Amino acid sequence: MPRGHKSKLRAREKRRQARGETQCLRGAQATAAKEEGSPSSSSLVLETTPQSLPAAGSDERATKQDEESPGTSQASSTTDRSRKTPLDQKAILLVQFLLRKYNMKETITKEDMLKYVIKKHKDHFHEILRRASELMVLAFGIDVKEVDTTRHCYVLISKLQRTRDERMSGEIMPKTGLLMTVLCVIFMKGNCAAEEDIWEVLNVMGIYAGRKHFMYGEPRKLITKDLVQEKYLEYRQVPNSDPPRYEFLWGPRARAETSKMKVLEFLAKIHDTTPNAFPSWYEEALRDEEERARARFAALARTNAIASARIRVSSSYFHP
Amino acid sequence: MGAPRSRSPRLEVPSYMQCSTRRMGIMTDVHRRFLQLLMTHGVLEEQAVKRLQKHCYKVHDRNAAVEKLEDFINNINSVLESLYIEVKKGVTEDDGRPVYALVNLATTSISKMASDFAENELDLFRKALELIIDSESGFASSTNILNLVDQLKGKKMRKKEAEQVLQKFVQNKWLIEKEGEFTLHSRAILEMEQYIRETYPDSVKMCNICHSLLIQGQSCETCGIRMHLPCVAKYFQSNSEPRCPHCNDYWPHEIPEIFNPEKEREAGISTSNKKSLRSRQH
């Protein structure tokens, strides 16, 4: 016998409720399975049916007007959005916010989260944060941990262990890590380093010519061609060398984008010290800083002189 | 679409979820590590992305076959879809290299960068963006941007500071600098295309071939249509008399070479090979 209308409605309601609860359960199950050591897989469920729910719609319209909604009318179908509760929407916005902070490697304060994301839903801060944290773990394997309970500061920590290769790749701009190292060696060798010196240092870091690195690809091509093309490095033959030997210098772009002081700071950080621990290089870096400041002021003065000359010309035009 | 992977031993999908018409992707630590590293880099070229994918497999699932990159990414995107985030593929405007970045699909205003930069810094970016969009070349000179420093909202910023802020944008891959001029980084284009099209509908330029946002490109001097450099290269490939697709006048510019990943690999082996390839192309 086909099911009656009421029975179908009841079943649908039950499914909807169960789905709401299992949103969180899915995550818990998945992490539990992971803890057991098996390679985990989990699905990210926020809503599954394409059916729209008019009840949620009015709520959603209110939040849409004075606050941002996480999606656009073009990017997602409206049926999806009407299924999400306002708290879910805030959780999604918070995830997007947290992801940016992960890239900047900054601590996040509750205050910032309230100001930029949660806004008028601040009474539900903990619930929104809880949902967002779950999504961060499920989708990205990133933990949101409170490090300061008085000032409510949080940090983002990867649940996945960094491999040796990844740590070598440096922090926010990995190519920069390798590049900074090369620039450092060049600086330390008196602003010009033989290719052998560079490789000596890179080999210690586990980077070898001809051996493809998961991040840098083939390192020799990277430093002798790619970075040279991008004007970060200069690669030239040592004059009158036979058999030909090669040396590296800073390229114009490296000179523009970084400085001897910054490179020294990079070196100091690696050795857990400060730049003045290397007195002769520190002196040279200081001189470089002075030179740059002078050049900047000179450029500004030139711009101002041109600007004021123009004003003088135009004023003399009106008052001959 | 096929049945969801409910029969996989690693994931239990209760019966009510099987009625979903959308295919559910499965997220493992391979995908999570991939996403974390992709985010760390901001934007990555295709070759590096492939290597990154292989690396993640090696760490977590040595015995599994490495999925084709396109499928791998579609899988990830199907899961991230509900967060309005996706791994988006784009092409660098100057030399046509495929690049990937994790982007936010929401077209909320520039203020989504708001939490990373101060109000006056954001406004500086906005001013630079407007100059870039309005320019003919897609580049805004440092001087022109810095001259707007007095008009910025928020705390007063001096030109010296503004120079540093512009460098910060370059470091964070929002802008590219070339000889004192600034244009948008491919990452910014990937992330902000929709925002830009909606905010500057009158001044925004579009490519006649791929119909997406155009910052740098070539234009027909007769009818004014524009094309990305890689789109020009592909469209006029091995055409000795290139003509404008719109008005049929002779195309007045030099046709750039298409980025060819095969050529890049061969170049790594020997430079002499590379020379002979180039002469064969044109």
mmCIF file of all heavy atoms in Angstrom, chain B residues 136-180:
data_model
loop_
_atom_site.group_PDB
_atom_site.id
_atom_site.type_symbol
_atom_site.label_atom_id
_atom_site.label_comp_id
_atom_site.label_asym_id
_atom_site.label_seq_id
_atom_site.Cartn_x
_atom_site.Cartn_y
_atom_site.Cartn_z
ATOM 1 N N GLU B 136 45.086 52.400 -19.705
ATOM 2 C CA GLU B 136 45.060 51.738 -21.006
ATOM 3 C C GLU B 136 45.921 50.477 -20.985
ATOM 4 O O GLU B 136 45.577 49.455 -21.559
ATOM 5 C CB GLU B 136 45.582 52.728 -22.059
ATOM 6 C CG GLU B 136 45.487 52.256 -23.489
ATOM 7 C CD GLU B 136 44.105 51.794 -23.887
ATOM 8 O OE1 GLU B 136 43.108 52.414 -23.448
ATOM 9 O OE2 GLU B 136 44.010 50.784 -24.623
ATOM 10 N N SER B 137 47.055 50.551 -20.272
ATOM 11 C CA SER B 137 48.002 49.444 -20.281
ATOM 12 C C SER B 137 47.723 48.411 -19.202
ATOM 13 O O SER B 137 48.289 47.338 -19.214
ATOM 14 C CB SER B 137 49.417 49.981 -20.058
ATOM 15 O OG SER B 137 49.463 50.603 -18.773
ATOM 16 N N GLY B 138 46.839 48.757 -18.248
ATOM 17 C CA GLY B 138 46.629 47.859 -17.126
ATOM 18 C C GLY B 138 47.632 48.100 -16.012
ATOM 19 O O GLY B 138 47.660 47.374 -15.032
ATOM 20 N N PHE B 139 48.460 49.136 -16.171
ATOM 21 C CA PHE B 139 49.444 49.472 -15.148
ATOM 22 C C PHE B 139 49.195 50.876 -14.631
ATOM 23 O O PHE B 139 48.838 51.773 -15.393
ATOM 24 C CB PHE B 139 50.865 49.417 -15.728
ATOM 25 C CG PHE B 139 51.401 48.019 -15.859
ATOM 26 C CD1 PHE B 139 51.132 47.270 -16.989
ATOM 27 C CD2 PHE B 139 52.174 47.469 -14.846
ATOM 28 C CE1 PHE B 139 51.618 45.976 -17.109
ATOM 29 C CE2 PHE B 139 52.673 46.179 -14.964
ATOM 30 C CZ PHE B 139 52.397 45.433 -16.102
ATOM 31 N N ALA B 140 49.412 51.047 -13.332
ATOM 32 C CA ALA B 140 49.320 52.377 -12.749
ATOM 33 C C ALA B 140 50.698 52.732 -12.200
ATOM 34 O O ALA B 140 51.330 51.917 -11.537
ATOM 35 C CB ALA B 140 48.295 52.386 -11.624
ATOM 36 N N SER B 141 51.166 53.924 -12.509
ATOM 37 C CA SER B 141 52.516 54.273 -12.071
ATOM 38 C C SER B 141 52.522 54.565 -10.583
ATOM 39 O O SER B 141 51.537 55.028 -10.012
ATOM 40 C CB SER B 141 53.027 55.486 -12.835
ATOM 41 O OG SER B 141 52.386 56.640 -12.347
ATOM 42 N N SER B 142 53.667 54.279 -9.979
ATOM 43 C CA SER B 142 53.841 54.516 -8.558
ATOM 44 C C SER B 142 53.544 55.972 -8.230
ATOM 45 O O SER B 142 52.861 56.279 -7.246
ATOM 46 C CB SER B 142 55.280 54.135 -8.195
ATOM 47 O OG SER B 142 55.583 54.577 -6.930
ATOM 48 N N THR B 143 54.033 56.877 -9.077
ATOM 49 C CA THR B 143 53.830 58.309 -8.842
ATOM 50 C C THR B 143 52.349 58.652 -8.779
ATOM 51 O O THR B 143 51.895 59.333 -7.865
ATOM 52 C CB THR B 143 54.458 59.134 -9.983
ATOM 53 O OG1 THR B 143 55.648 58.494 -10.410
ATOM 54 C CG2 THR B 143 54.756 60.545 -9.529
ATOM 55 N N ASN B 144 51.585 58.165 -9.750
ATOM 56 C CA ASN B 144 50.162 58.487 -9.780
ATOM 57 C C ASN B 144 49.434 57.957 -8.557
ATOM 58 O O ASN B 144 48.540 58.613 -8.025
ATOM 59 C CB ASN B 144 49.513 57.913 -11.050
ATOM 60 C CG ASN B 144 49.929 58.689 -12.290
ATOM 61 O OD1 ASN B 144 50.474 59.785 -12.178
ATOM 62 N ND2 ASN B 144 49.682 58.128 -13.458
ATOM 63 N N ILE B 145 49.821 56.758 -8.107
ATOM 64 C CA ILE B 145 49.172 56.202 -6.924
ATOM 65 C C ILE B 145 49.540 57.041 -5.709
ATOM 66 O O ILE B 145 48.679 57.428 -4.918
ATOM 67 C CB ILE B 145 49.598 54.736 -6.694
ATOM 68 C CG1 ILE B 145 49.204 53.863 -7.881
ATOM 69 C CG2 ILE B 145 48.948 54.202 -5.420
ATOM 70 C CD1 ILE B 145 49.719 52.443 -7.804
ATOM 71 N N LEU B 146 50.828 57.343 -5.576
ATOM 72 C CA LEU B 146 51.279 58.080 -4.398
ATOM 73 C C LEU B 146 50.708 59.489 -4.343
ATOM 74 O O LEU B 146 50.520 60.051 -3.276
ATOM 75 C CB LEU B 146 52.809 58.121 -4.360
ATOM 76 C CG LEU B 146 53.484 56.751 -4.177
ATOM 77 C CD1 LEU B 146 54.992 56.876 -4.219
ATOM 78 C CD2 LEU B 146 53.061 56.121 -2.849
ATOM 79 N N ASN B 147 50.397 60.052 -5.514
ATOM 80 C CA ASN B 147 49.821 61.397 -5.507
ATOM 81 C C ASN B 147 48.433 61.433 -4.898
ATOM 82 O O ASN B 147 47.917 62.499 -4.567
ATOM 83 C CB ASN B 147 49.767 61.950 -6.937
ATOM 84 C CG ASN B 147 51.115 62.458 -7.405
ATOM 85 O OD1 ASN B 147 51.984 62.728 -6.574
ATOM 86 N ND2 ASN B 147 51.293 62.577 -8.695
ATOM 87 N N LEU B 148 47.804 60.255 -4.776
ATOM 88 C CA LEU B 148 46.448 60.221 -4.218
ATOM 89 C C LEU B 148 46.463 60.039 -2.703
ATOM 90 O O LEU B 148 45.413 59.875 -2.082
ATOM 91 C CB LEU B 148 45.668 59.077 -4.864
ATOM 92 C CG LEU B 148 45.486 59.193 -6.371
ATOM 93 C CD1 LEU B 148 44.835 57.931 -6.916
ATOM 94 C CD2 LEU B 148 44.642 60.405 -6.709
ATOM 95 N N VAL B 149 47.650 60.037 -2.141
ATOM 96 C CA VAL B 149 47.793 59.723 -0.724
ATOM 97 C C VAL B 149 47.020 60.685 0.177
ATOM 98 O O VAL B 149 46.550 60.323 1.250
ATOM 99 C CB VAL B 149 49.306 59.677 -0.383
ATOM 100 C CG1 VAL B 149 49.620 60.309 0.929
ATOM 101 C CG2 VAL B 149 49.802 58.264 -0.430
ATOM 102 N N ASP B 150 46.840 61.927 -0.285
ATOM 103 C CA ASP B 150 46.117 62.904 0.533
ATOM 104 C C ASP B 150 44.626 62.630 0.570
ATOM 105 O O ASP B 150 43.924 63.118 1.445
ATOM 106 C CB ASP B 150 46.341 64.321 -0.019
ATOM 107 C CG ASP B 150 47.780 64.750 0.178
ATOM 108 O OD1 ASP B 150 48.353 64.375 1.214
ATOM 109 O OD2 ASP B 150 48.309 65.438 -0.713
ATOM 110 N N GLN B 151 44.140 61.857 -0.403
ATOM 111 C CA GLN B 151 42.697 61.644 -0.473
ATOM 112 C C GLN B 151 42.254 60.392 0.281
ATOM 113 O O GLN B 151 41.089 60.022 0.228
ATOM 114 C CB GLN B 151 42.267 61.488 -1.928
ATOM 115 C CG GLN B 151 42.603 62.683 -2.796
ATOM 116 C CD GLN B 151 42.332 62.380 -4.256
ATOM 117 O OE1 GLN B 151 41.523 61.517 -4.574
ATOM 118 N NE2 GLN B 151 43.027 63.059 -5.145
ATOM 119 N N LEU B 152 43.171 59.740 0.980
ATOM 120 C CA LEU B 152 42.822 58.460 1.592
ATOM 121 C C LEU B 152 41.965 58.634 2.826
ATOM 122 O O LEU B 152 42.147 59.565 3.602
ATOM 123 C CB LEU B 152 44.093 57.692 1.977
ATOM 124 C CG LEU B 152 44.975 57.237 0.820
ATOM 125 C CD1 LEU B 152 46.181 56.502 1.367
ATOM 126 C CD2 LEU B 152 44.210 56.330 -0.112
ATOM 127 N N LYS B 153 41.084 57.673 3.012
ATOM 128 C CA LYS B 153 40.271 57.658 4.231
ATOM 129 C C LYS B 153 41.136 57.172 5.390
ATOM 130 O O LYS B 153 42.126 56.479 5.194
ATOM 131 C CB LYS B 153 39.112 56.664 4.080
ATOM 132 C CG LYS B 153 38.118 57.041 3.030
ATOM 133 C CD LYS B 153 36.963 56.036 3.052
ATOM 134 C CE LYS B 153 36.319 55.995 1.679
ATOM 135 N NZ LYS B 153 35.514 54.800 1.486
ATOM 136 N N GLY B 154 40.712 57.504 6.580
ATOM 137 C CA GLY B 154 41.414 57.000 7.755
ATOM 138 C C GLY B 154 42.604 57.875 8.112
ATOM 139 O O GLY B 154 42.713 59.036 7.725
ATOM 140 N N LYS B 155 43.532 57.269 8.833
ATOM 141 C CA LYS B 155 44.681 58.020 9.346
ATOM 142 C C LYS B 155 45.508 58.562 8.181
ATOM 143 O O LYS B 155 45.696 57.892 7.167
ATOM 144 C CB LYS B 155 45.528 57.080 10.205
ATOM 145 C CG LYS B 155 46.416 57.789 11.206
ATOM 146 C CD LYS B 155 47.055 56.774 12.155
ATOM 147 C CE LYS B 155 48.407 56.350 11.593
ATOM 148 N NZ LYS B 155 49.287 55.761 12.590
ATOM 149 N N LYS B 156 46.042 59.750 8.353
ATOM 150 C CA LYS B 156 46.849 60.370 7.296
ATOM 151 C C LYS B 156 48.088 59.525 7.032
ATOM 152 O O LYS B 156 48.774 59.104 7.953
ATOM 153 C CB LYS B 156 47.250 61.780 7.737
ATOM 154 C CG LYS B 156 47.981 62.551 6.645
ATOM 155 C CD LYS B 156 47.997 64.039 6.974
ATOM 156 C CE LYS B 156 49.102 64.768 6.233
ATOM 157 N NZ LYS B 156 48.917 64.771 4.786
ATOM 158 N N MET B 157 48.369 59.302 5.742
ATOM 159 C CA MET B 157 49.498 58.456 5.371
ATOM 160 C C MET B 157 50.473 59.271 4.530
ATOM 161 O O MET B 157 50.058 59.982 3.623
ATOM 162 C CB MET B 157 48.986 57.260 4.540
ATOM 163 C CG MET B 157 50.044 56.210 4.273
ATOM 164 S SD MET B 157 49.551 55.012 3.007
ATOM 165 C CE MET B 157 48.292 54.095 3.847
ATOM 166 N N ARG B 158 51.764 59.167 4.860
ATOM 167 C CA ARG B 158 52.739 59.899 4.063
ATOM 168 C C ARG B 158 53.178 59.053 2.879
ATOM 169 O O ARG B 158 53.033 57.847 2.881
ATOM 170 C CB ARG B 158 53.942 60.265 4.920
ATOM 171 C CG ARG B 158 53.628 61.385 5.908
ATOM 172 C CD ARG B 158 54.708 61.483 6.953
ATOM 173 N NE ARG B 158 54.848 60.231 7.685
ATOM 174 C CZ ARG B 158 55.877 59.956 8.454
ATOM 175 N NH1 ARG B 158 56.860 60.817 8.572
ATOM 176 N NH2 ARG B 158 55.946 58.823 9.098
ATOM 177 N N LYS B 159 53.770 59.693 1.900
ATOM 178 C CA LYS B 159 54.168 58.970 0.691
ATOM 179 C C LYS B 159 55.165 57.871 1.017
ATOM 180 O O LYS B 159 55.130 56.787 0.434
ATOM 181 C CB LYS B 159 54.772 59.944 -0.321
ATOM 182 C CG LYS B 159 53.726 60.740 -1.041
ATOM 183 C CD LYS B 159 54.243 61.433 -2.279
ATOM 184 C CE LYS B 159 53.074 62.128 -2.953
ATOM 185 N NZ LYS B 159 53.468 63.192 -3.854
ATOM 186 N N LYS B 160 56.050 58.144 1.968
ATOM 187 C CA LYS B 160 57.050 57.142 2.335
ATOM 188 C C LYS B 160 56.371 55.878 2.843
ATOM 189 O O LYS B 160 56.732 54.766 2.480
ATOM 190 C CB LYS B 160 57.956 57.735 3.428
ATOM 191 C CG LYS B 160 59.258 56.992 3.608
ATOM 192 C CD LYS B 160 60.267 57.809 4.411
ATOM 193 C CE LYS B 160 59.892 57.923 5.881
ATOM 194 N NZ LYS B 160 61.065 58.224 6.738
ATOM 195 N N GLU B 161 55.349 56.093 3.712
ATOM 196 C CA GLU B 161 54.592 54.954 4.238
ATOM 197 C C GLU B 161 53.873 54.232 3.120
ATOM 198 O O GLU B 161 53.826 53.010 3.076
ATOM 199 C CB GLU B 161 53.501 55.450 5.190
ATOM 200 C CG GLU B 161 53.849 55.462 6.653
ATOM 201 C CD GLU B 161 52.700 56.080 7.444
ATOM 202 O OE1 GLU B 161 51.718 55.361 7.685
ATOM 203 O OE2 GLU B 161 52.794 57.280 7.753
ATOM 204 N N ALA B 162 53.299 55.034 2.214
ATOM 205 C CA ALA B 162 52.501 54.454 1.141
ATOM 206 C C ALA B 162 53.359 53.526 0.282
ATOM 207 O O ALA B 162 52.895 52.475 -0.168
ATOM 208 C CB ALA B 162 51.875 55.556 0.291
ATOM 209 N N GLU B 163 54.631 53.927 0.074
ATOM 210 C CA GLU B 163 55.539 53.064 -0.678
ATOM 211 C C GLU B 163 55.654 51.712 -0.015
ATOM 212 O O GLU B 163 55.652 50.671 -0.665
ATOM 213 C CB GLU B 163 56.928 53.706 -0.749
ATOM 214 C CG GLU B 163 57.112 54.649 -1.905
ATOM 215 C CD GLU B 163 58.504 55.276 -1.894
ATOM 216 O OE1 GLU B 163 59.445 54.587 -1.465
ATOM 217 O OE2 GLU B 163 58.611 56.438 -2.287
ATOM 218 N N GLN B 164 55.791 51.725 1.321
ATOM 219 C CA GLN B 164 55.911 50.468 2.067
ATOM 220 C C GLN B 164 54.649 49.640 1.953
ATOM 221 O O GLN B 164 54.694 48.417 1.823
ATOM 222 C CB GLN B 164 56.172 50.750 3.559
ATOM 223 C CG GLN B 164 57.357 51.629 3.825
ATOM 224 C CD GLN B 164 58.642 50.843 3.852
ATOM 225 O OE1 GLN B 164 58.816 49.897 3.091
ATOM 226 N NE2 GLN B 164 59.530 51.212 4.751
ATOM 227 N N VAL B 165 53.503 50.320 2.032
ATOM 228 C CA VAL B 165 52.235 49.601 1.954
ATOM 229 C C VAL B 165 52.093 48.936 0.591
ATOM 230 O O VAL B 165 51.664 47.784 0.487
ATOM 231 C CB VAL B 165 51.048 50.546 2.226
ATOM 232 C CG1 VAL B 165 49.741 49.823 2.003
ATOM 233 C CG2 VAL B 165 51.111 51.079 3.642
ATOM 234 N N LEU B 166 52.489 49.663 -0.455
ATOM 235 C CA LEU B 166 52.439 49.068 -1.792
ATOM 236 C C LEU B 166 53.334 47.829 -1.856
ATOM 237 O O LEU B 166 52.973 46.819 -2.465
ATOM 238 C CB LEU B 166 52.874 50.095 -2.846
ATOM 239 C CG LEU B 166 51.858 51.200 -3.161
ATOM 240 C CD1 LEU B 166 52.429 52.214 -4.143
ATOM 241 C CD2 LEU B 166 50.572 50.618 -3.721
ATOM 242 N N GLN B 167 54.492 47.886 -1.212
ATOM 243 C CA GLN B 167 55.363 46.707 -1.177
ATOM 244 C C GLN B 167 54.711 45.564 -0.424
ATOM 245 O O GLN B 167 54.884 44.395 -0.765
ATOM 246 C CB GLN B 167 56.716 47.052 -0.528
ATOM 247 C CG GLN B 167 57.631 47.881 -1.419
ATOM 248 C CD GLN B 167 57.787 47.287 -2.805
ATOM 249 O OE1 GLN B 167 57.963 46.082 -2.975
ATOM 250 N NE2 GLN B 167 57.694 48.129 -3.805
ATOM 251 N N LYS B 168 53.962 45.908 0.609
ATOM 252 C CA LYS B 168 53.249 44.883 1.373
ATOM 253 C C LYS B 168 52.236 44.179 0.462
ATOM 254 O O LYS B 168 52.090 42.957 0.493
ATOM 255 C CB LYS B 168 52.527 45.529 2.571
ATOM 256 C CG LYS B 168 52.145 44.523 3.643
ATOM 257 C CD LYS B 168 51.877 45.089 5.032
ATOM 258 C CE LYS B 168 50.745 46.065 5.172
ATOM 259 N NZ LYS B 168 50.179 46.041 6.557
ATOM 260 N N PHE B 169 51.566 44.965 -0.376
ATOM 261 C CA PHE B 169 50.614 44.375 -1.311
ATOM 262 C C PHE B 169 51.329 43.452 -2.294
ATOM 263 O O PHE B 169 50.821 42.407 -2.668
ATOM 264 C CB PHE B 169 49.859 45.451 -2.086
ATOM 265 C CG PHE B 169 48.887 46.244 -1.253
ATOM 266 C CD1 PHE B 169 48.752 47.611 -1.419
ATOM 267 C CD2 PHE B 169 48.092 45.619 -0.302
ATOM 268 C CE1 PHE B 169 47.856 48.348 -0.647
ATOM 269 C CE2 PHE B 169 47.196 46.344 0.472
ATOM 270 C CZ PHE B 169 47.087 47.715 0.295
ATOM 271 N N VAL B 170 52.515 43.852 -2.705
ATOM 272 C CA VAL B 170 53.268 43.012 -3.633
ATOM 273 C C VAL B 170 53.661 41.708 -2.945
ATOM 274 O O VAL B 170 53.509 40.621 -3.494
ATOM 275 C CB VAL B 170 54.534 43.748 -4.142
ATOM 276 C CG1 VAL B 170 55.431 42.801 -4.909
ATOM 277 C CG2 VAL B 170 54.142 44.920 -5.021
ATOM 278 N N GLN B 171 54.127 41.828 -1.714
ATOM 279 C CA GLN B 171 54.548 40.630 -0.986
ATOM 280 C C GLN B 171 53.398 39.680 -0.741
ATOM 281 O O GLN B 171 53.563 38.468 -0.727
ATOM 282 C CB GLN B 171 55.152 41.009 0.356
ATOM 283 C CG GLN B 171 56.643 41.222 0.292
ATOM 284 C CD GLN B 171 57.116 42.014 1.479
ATOM 285 O OE1 GLN B 171 56.591 41.889 2.578
ATOM 286 N NE2 GLN B 171 58.111 42.849 1.260
ATOM 287 N N ASN B 172 52.206 40.241 -0.509
ATOM 288 C CA ASN B 172 51.048 39.396 -0.261
ATOM 289 C C ASN B 172 50.331 39.001 -1.543
ATOM 290 O O ASN B 172 49.232 38.465 -1.508
ATOM 291 C CB ASN B 172 50.067 40.097 0.684
ATOM 292 C CG ASN B 172 50.581 40.100 2.107
ATOM 293 O OD1 ASN B 172 50.690 39.054 2.725
ATOM 294 N ND2 ASN B 172 50.912 41.260 2.620
ATOM 295 N N LYS B 173 50.975 39.299 -2.669
ATOM 296 C CA LYS B 173 50.479 38.860 -3.973
ATOM 297 C C LYS B 173 49.139 39.462 -4.355
ATOM 298 O O LYS B 173 48.329 38.791 -4.995
ATOM 299 C CB LYS B 173 50.405 37.324 -4.044
ATOM 300 C CG LYS B 173 51.773 36.687 -3.871
ATOM 301 C CD LYS B 173 51.723 35.187 -4.097
ATOM 302 C CE LYS B 173 53.079 34.580 -3.898
ATOM 303 N NZ LYS B 173 53.101 33.126 -3.944
ATOM 304 N N TRP B 174 48.916 40.718 -4.000
ATOM 305 C CA TRP B 174 47.740 41.410 -4.515
ATOM 306 C C TRP B 174 48.126 42.250 -5.728
ATOM 307 O O TRP B 174 47.342 42.458 -6.641
ATOM 308 C CB TRP B 174 47.126 42.324 -3.439
ATOM 309 C CG TRP B 174 46.588 41.566 -2.282
ATOM 310 C CD1 TRP B 174 47.083 41.545 -1.005
ATOM 311 C CD2 TRP B 174 45.475 40.671 -2.265
ATOM 312 N NE1 TRP B 174 46.345 40.704 -0.226
ATOM 313 C CE2 TRP B 174 45.352 40.159 -0.959
ATOM 314 C CE3 TRP B 174 44.563 40.258 -3.239
ATOM 315 C CZ2 TRP B 174 44.358 39.252 -0.594
ATOM 316 C CZ3 TRP B 174 43.570 39.355 -2.879
ATOM 317 C CH2 TRP B 174 43.487 38.870 -1.571
ATOM 318 N N LEU B 175 49.371 42.763 -5.707
ATOM 319 C CA LEU B 175 49.847 43.567 -6.823
ATOM 320 C C LEU B 175 51.165 43.003 -7.332
ATOM 321 O O LEU B 175 51.889 42.318 -6.607
ATOM 322 C CB LEU B 175 50.086 45.015 -6.389
ATOM 323 C CG LEU B 175 48.896 45.839 -5.926
ATOM 324 C CD1 LEU B 175 49.362 47.216 -5.463
ATOM 325 C CD2 LEU B 175 47.871 45.992 -7.029
ATOM 326 N N ILE B 176 51.453 43.310 -8.595
ATOM 327 C CA ILE B 176 52.765 43.005 -9.172
ATOM 328 C C ILE B 176 53.407 44.329 -9.517
ATOM 329 O O ILE B 176 52.729 45.239 -10.006
ATOM 330 C CB ILE B 176 52.608 42.191 -10.479
ATOM 331 C CG1 ILE B 176 51.972 40.843 -10.192
ATOM 332 C CG2 ILE B 176 53.934 41.992 -11.169
ATOM 333 C CD1 ILE B 176 51.703 40.050 -11.454
ATOM 334 N N GLU B 177 54.709 44.434 -9.287
ATOM 335 C CA GLU B 177 55.391 45.664 -9.676
ATOM 336 C C GLU B 177 56.351 45.384 -10.824
ATOM 337 O O GLU B 177 57.094 44.399 -10.797
ATOM 338 C CB GLU B 177 56.168 46.247 -8.502
ATOM 339 C CG GLU B 177 56.829 47.566 -8.882
ATOM 340 C CD GLU B 177 57.711 48.133 -7.796
ATOM 341 O OE1 GLU B 177 57.807 47.508 -6.725
ATOM 342 O OE2 GLU B 177 58.305 49.190 -8.032
ATOM 343 N N LYS B 178 56.288 46.263 -11.831
ATOM 344 C CA LYS B 178 57.227 46.144 -12.956
ATOM 345 C C LYS B 178 57.745 47.540 -13.276
ATOM 346 O O LYS B 178 56.985 48.368 -13.778
ATOM 347 C CB LYS B 178 56.492 45.592 -14.186
ATOM 348 C CG LYS B 178 56.738 44.139 -14.445
ATOM 349 C CD LYS B 178 56.265 43.703 -15.837
ATOM 350 C CE LYS B 178 56.443 42.212 -16.005
ATOM 351 N NZ LYS B 178 55.223 41.490 -16.316
ATOM 352 N N GLU B 179 59.017 47.763 -12.967
ATOM 353 C CA GLU B 179 59.652 49.044 -13.311
ATOM 354 C C GLU B 179 58.851 50.253 -12.822
ATOM 355 O O GLU B 179 58.559 51.170 -13.593
ATOM 356 C CB GLU B 179 59.844 49.161 -14.834
ATOM 357 C CG GLU B 179 60.878 48.188 -15.372
ATOM 358 C CD GLU B 179 60.721 47.939 -16.857
ATOM 359 O OE1 GLU B 179 59.906 48.645 -17.498
ATOM 360 O OE2 GLU B 179 61.386 47.034 -17.374
ATOM 361 N N GLY B 180 58.495 50.214 -11.553
ATOM 362 C CA GLY B 180 57.835 51.375 -10.960
ATOM 363 C C GLY B 180 56.356 51.488 -11.251
ATOM 364 O O GLY B 180 55.704 52.441 -10.846
#
